[in-house]
Amino acid sequence: MRASRLVSLLLLLQTRGQLTAAELAAELEVSERTIHRDVEALSASGVPIYAERGVHGGIRLVDGYRTRLTGMTGEEAEALFLAGLPGPAAELGLGTVVAAAQLKVLASLPGELRARASRLVERFHLDAGDWFRASQPVPHLGALSDAVWTGTRVEITYDREGGPVQRTIDPLGLVLKAGIWYVVASIGDQIRTYRVSRVLGVTPEGTTVERPEGFDLGAYWTESSAAFERDVPRIEVIVRVRPDRLDHLRTAVGNAAVDAAEFVPDRDPEGWLRLRLRLDWPEEAPRTLLGAGRWVEVLEPTEVRARLASTARAVAERYAGDLG
């Protein structure tokens, strides 16, 4: 345990320069006394480490001293940074392991590759949250990725509901959300998000993109996702479902909707459960609930029940010839 901490202390100083004992203690979650003992141990082993006293003092390495990890290419280092998802790693109890691995990589890389690894985190963000959507073809992902990486303005043809439109965008980053790629870009003084699967064409313009000062891709995505979840239109639906077929309802509307549902205390003549659900996108609710099949019945609102009945009649008529 101490050996690992000594390595982490050494690499922290190598990547960040001078740090106080208090800062190192906070990073490594130990006492300042332990930090001073570790510094003495490193110095005794031949590491050129020293402490400066005073208001602006701290612990640092002799200028030019570096310890290197071997056997890792720049591409491997970039892959590690791209794969280091902080959320899932923390949930698995591996958050500190990922952080330590990234720190070792930064410390081991030459200046140019270290800048590339840091730049990767700045421009690419992976969101592993669970939005239930299938992956979609993205033929222009490569071109957009090049534009993001090189910081080049592009003109895109984007498929909107009213038909294709042309947009000139300054790509700032790419986000992968549950199999769906999004490009985050600035247009004038606005920052917008486009689904990559709807991009029909990409034409580089050669102009260098000026990134907004202080722009943080991960923070922007978190804020915009929260706004989307907050503002999406919803509808309240009361359904009855056979207890042993609750999984059919989960498949149709999702686990989150069922877990958040309220039980309606009314007695059911057949012993079915009655739930009050909140579903996103009212226009899509009838089609979504139809996926639960005959084990779920919509009781309210009447307009959703009526649309389900109309759809069921149309389906029955379509297959009427096969019923005889």
XYZ file of all heavy atoms in Angstrom, residues 159-203:
347
model
N -30.660 16.414 -41.649
C -32.014 15.932 -41.927
C -32.958 16.342 -40.803
O -32.928 15.781 -39.715
C -31.992 14.407 -42.076
C -33.358 13.851 -42.477
O -34.196 14.644 -42.941
O -33.567 12.634 -42.332
N -33.800 17.335 -41.092
C -34.812 17.745 -40.135
C -36.172 17.265 -40.608
O -36.316 16.779 -41.737
C -34.813 19.269 -39.975
C -33.496 19.821 -39.463
C -33.610 21.285 -39.103
N -34.532 21.479 -38.004
C -34.778 22.670 -37.458
N -34.175 23.752 -37.921
N -35.633 22.788 -36.466
N -37.188 17.373 -39.738
C -38.512 16.866 -40.086
C -39.071 17.544 -41.329
O -39.760 16.925 -42.129
C -39.471 17.066 -38.901
C -39.150 16.182 -37.705
C -40.170 16.327 -36.602
O -41.163 17.057 -36.825
O -39.990 15.716 -35.534
N -38.767 18.823 -41.525
C -39.263 19.531 -42.695
C -38.432 19.321 -43.940
O -38.764 19.857 -44.999
N -37.348 18.573 -43.840
C -36.468 18.338 -44.977
C -35.040 18.738 -44.659
O -34.767 19.396 -43.640
N -34.088 18.381 -45.528
C -32.671 18.680 -45.292
C -32.404 20.185 -45.253
O -33.008 20.955 -46.001
C -31.962 18.029 -46.488
C -32.926 17.002 -46.998
C -34.288 17.569 -46.746
N -31.490 20.590 -44.357
C -31.085 21.993 -44.255
C -29.561 22.046 -44.213
O -28.895 21.065 -43.862
C -31.658 22.665 -42.991
C -33.169 22.740 -43.056
C -31.213 21.925 -41.729
N -29.008 23.193 -44.597
C -27.563 23.398 -44.563
C -27.208 24.196 -43.314
O -27.885 25.176 -42.986
C -27.090 24.157 -45.804
C -27.473 23.503 -47.121
C -26.796 22.161 -47.300
O -27.459 21.160 -47.533
N -25.484 22.140 -47.196
N -26.169 23.779 -42.620
C -25.695 24.485 -41.445
C -24.165 24.543 -41.470
O -23.498 23.548 -41.752
C -26.142 23.775 -40.157
C -27.638 23.816 -39.907
C -28.087 25.198 -39.482
N -29.507 25.209 -39.130
C -30.488 25.479 -39.967
N -30.194 25.768 -41.243
N -31.745 25.484 -39.570
N -23.619 25.718 -41.171
C -22.172 25.860 -41.010
C -21.878 25.877 -39.516
O -22.384 26.732 -38.790
C -21.659 27.150 -41.661
O -21.942 27.108 -43.069
C -20.146 27.281 -41.471
N -21.110 24.903 -39.056
C -20.906 24.719 -37.616
C -19.421 24.686 -37.270
O -18.575 24.341 -38.096
C -21.576 23.423 -37.110
C -20.913 22.189 -37.729
C -23.072 23.435 -37.408
C -21.398 20.868 -37.156
N -19.128 25.062 -36.036
C -17.786 24.922 -35.466
C -17.815 23.761 -34.484
O -18.264 23.916 -33.339
C -17.375 26.200 -34.740
C -17.108 27.354 -35.693
O -17.114 27.120 -36.911
O -16.898 28.487 -35.209
N -17.394 22.564 -34.890
C -17.479 21.395 -33.998
C -16.589 21.561 -32.766
O -15.424 21.921 -32.865
C -16.976 20.239 -34.888
C -17.072 20.750 -36.288
C -16.825 22.224 -36.198
N -17.169 21.291 -31.600
C -16.446 21.408 -30.337
C -16.184 20.062 -29.686
O -15.263 19.932 -28.877
C -17.240 22.287 -29.360
C -17.554 23.709 -29.830
C -18.426 24.418 -28.810
C -16.277 24.493 -30.081
N -17.001 19.060 -30.005
C -16.806 17.760 -29.379
C -17.828 16.754 -29.845
O -18.841 17.105 -30.449
N -17.534 15.489 -29.582
C -18.444 14.381 -29.875
C -18.822 13.698 -28.573
O -17.992 13.543 -27.677
C -17.783 13.368 -30.815
C -17.634 13.784 -32.276
C -16.710 12.827 -33.003
C -18.989 13.816 -32.963
N -20.082 13.294 -28.477
C -20.576 12.602 -27.286
C -21.270 11.318 -27.725
O -22.061 11.329 -28.676
C -21.576 13.487 -26.501
C -22.173 12.719 -25.333
C -20.885 14.756 -26.008
N -20.964 10.231 -27.060
C -21.637 8.958 -27.302
C -22.595 8.696 -26.153
O -22.181 8.564 -25.008
C -20.619 7.819 -27.402
C -21.189 6.420 -27.615
C -21.929 6.330 -28.943
C -20.085 5.374 -27.546
N -23.895 8.646 -26.473
C -24.917 8.428 -25.452
C -25.680 7.162 -25.784
O -26.496 7.142 -26.701
C -25.872 9.625 -25.385
C -27.041 9.452 -24.421
C -26.587 9.504 -22.983
C -27.767 9.461 -22.026
N -27.365 9.542 -20.621
N -25.405 6.068 -25.060
C -26.125 4.801 -25.225
C -26.214 4.381 -26.690
O -27.274 4.034 -27.186
C -27.515 4.903 -24.608
N -25.081 4.417 -27.381
C -25.049 3.967 -28.765
C -25.380 5.044 -29.780
O -25.306 4.789 -30.985
N -25.748 6.239 -29.346
C -26.094 7.329 -30.250
C -25.009 8.398 -30.165
O -24.680 8.874 -29.077
C -27.455 7.967 -29.895
C -28.542 6.896 -29.806
C -27.829 9.032 -30.920
C -28.819 6.175 -31.094
N -24.458 8.779 -31.326
C -23.434 9.811 -31.374
C -24.061 11.181 -31.595
O -24.975 11.333 -32.402
C -22.439 9.544 -32.501
C -21.426 8.493 -32.191
C -21.447 7.187 -32.588
C -20.226 8.656 -31.428
N -20.342 6.532 -32.108
C -19.572 7.412 -31.404
C -19.644 9.748 -30.770
C -18.370 7.217 -30.740
C -18.439 9.560 -30.110
C -17.807 8.308 -30.100
N -23.542 12.168 -30.885
C -23.967 13.562 -31.037
C -22.727 14.434 -31.242
O -21.678 14.175 -30.631
C -24.713 14.055 -29.794
C -25.984 13.292 -29.492
C -25.945 12.140 -28.720
C -27.214 13.720 -29.984
C -27.107 11.418 -28.436
C -28.381 13.014 -29.701
C -28.320 11.863 -28.931
O -29.463 11.165 -28.661
N -22.861 15.436 -32.095
C -21.799 16.420 -32.247
C -22.264 17.725 -31.602
O -23.381 18.190 -31.847
C -21.403 16.645 -33.720
C -22.583 17.112 -34.569
C -20.246 17.634 -33.822
N -21.438 18.256 -30.729
C -21.711 19.535 -30.064
C -20.937 20.601 -30.829
O -19.731 20.454 -31.054
C -21.278 19.493 -28.588
C -21.495 20.850 -27.935
C -22.038 18.402 -27.843
N -21.626 21.653 -31.228
C -20.991 22.659 -32.081
C -21.505 24.047 -31.743
O -22.603 24.214 -31.200
C -21.259 22.358 -33.551
N -20.706 25.043 -32.070
C -21.132 26.428 -31.878
C -21.528 27.018 -33.227
O -20.907 26.739 -34.256
C -20.020 27.261 -31.235
O -18.869 27.300 -32.060
N -22.594 27.816 -33.193
C -23.037 28.582 -34.353
C -23.215 30.014 -33.861
O -24.164 30.318 -33.136
C -24.365 28.049 -34.923
C -24.194 26.598 -35.368
C -24.830 28.892 -36.087
C -25.454 26.013 -35.970
N -22.285 30.867 -34.247
C -22.313 32.215 -33.701
C -22.034 32.164 -32.219
O -21.044 31.584 -31.766
N -22.940 32.739 -31.424
C -22.753 32.726 -29.975
C -23.587 31.657 -29.288
O -23.733 31.656 -28.072
C -23.100 34.095 -29.379
C -24.536 34.518 -29.688
O -25.213 33.795 -30.449
O -24.971 35.552 -29.166
N -24.153 30.719 -30.069
C -24.962 29.641 -29.515
C -24.233 28.308 -29.630
O -23.464 28.086 -30.566
C -26.314 29.552 -30.225
C -27.207 30.764 -30.020
C -28.563 30.574 -30.681
O -28.703 29.855 -31.673
N -29.584 31.209 -30.121
N -24.489 27.419 -28.668
C -23.950 26.057 -28.719
C -25.125 25.105 -28.880
O -26.079 25.149 -28.108
C -23.151 25.725 -27.448
C -21.937 26.651 -27.350
C -22.687 24.263 -27.467
C -21.096 26.436 -26.110
N -25.048 24.255 -29.897
C -26.148 23.348 -30.199
C -25.636 21.919 -30.341
O -24.447 21.674 -30.523
C -26.852 23.782 -31.492
C -27.478 25.167 -31.399
C -28.204 25.528 -32.668
N -28.831 26.843 -32.581
C -29.488 27.416 -33.583
N -29.611 26.790 -34.741
N -30.016 28.617 -33.425
N -26.582 20.985 -30.273
C -26.259 19.562 -30.366
C -26.989 18.954 -31.558
O -28.180 19.191 -31.745
C -26.672 18.828 -29.073
O -25.998 19.428 -27.964
C -26.301 17.355 -29.147
N -26.271 18.168 -32.363
C -26.841 17.524 -33.544
C -26.607 16.022 -33.463
O -25.511 15.567 -33.095
C -26.188 18.049 -34.828
C -26.384 19.530 -35.054
C -25.478 20.452 -34.524
C -27.462 20.009 -35.789
C -25.650 21.816 -34.726
C -27.640 21.370 -36.000
C -26.731 22.264 -35.463
O -26.906 23.604 -35.668
N -27.621 15.255 -33.830
C -27.458 13.804 -33.863
C -26.689 13.430 -35.133
O -27.086 13.792 -36.240
C -28.814 13.102 -33.845
C -28.686 11.586 -33.732
C -30.024 10.897 -33.693
N -30.817 11.270 -32.523
C -31.919 10.623 -32.158
N -32.352 9.591 -32.860
N -32.579 11.018 -31.089
N -25.597 12.708 -34.951
C -24.713 12.419 -36.080
C -25.406 11.568 -37.141
O -25.153 11.714 -38.335
C -23.419 11.736 -35.581
C -22.541 11.314 -36.749
C -22.653 12.680 -34.656
N -26.331 10.696 -36.726
C -27.009 9.832 -37.693
C -27.891 10.622 -38.654
O -28.277 10.111 -39.711
C -27.856 8.786 -36.958
O -28.856 9.412 -36.164
N -28.213 11.867 -38.307
C -29.034 12.693 -39.182
C -28.204 13.596 -40.095
O -28.761 14.363 -40.876
C -29.989 13.557 -38.344
C -31.057 12.750 -37.624
C -32.032 13.656 -36.898
N -33.062 12.900 -36.210
C -33.969 13.426 -35.408
N -33.981 14.748 -35.206
N -34.869 12.673 -34.801
N -26.897 13.518 -39.965
C -26.019 14.297 -40.831
C -25.900 13.574 -42.173
O -25.480 12.422 -42.239
C -24.631 14.478 -40.187
C -23.686 15.187 -41.153
C -24.756 15.280 -38.886
N -26.305 14.252 -43.250
C -26.325 13.648 -44.582
C -25.077 13.957 -45.385
O -24.822 13.307 -46.407
C -27.560 14.143 -45.348
C -28.914 13.932 -44.654
C -30.041 14.525 -45.490
C -29.152 12.445 -44.397
N -24.315 14.939 -44.958
C -23.094 15.292 -45.676
C -22.256 16.257 -44.857
O -22.780 17.028 -44.054
N -20.923 16.187 -45.061
C -19.984 17.054 -44.347
C -18.978 17.604 -45.349
O -18.351 16.848 -46.085
C -19.231 16.289 -43.237
C -18.228 17.212 -42.545
C -20.200 15.712 -42.222
N -18.834 18.938 -45.366
C -17.865 19.590 -46.250
C -16.969 20.496 -45.421
O -17.449 21.489 -44.857
C -18.571 20.431 -47.324
O -19.475 19.603 -48.059
C -17.557 21.054 -48.274
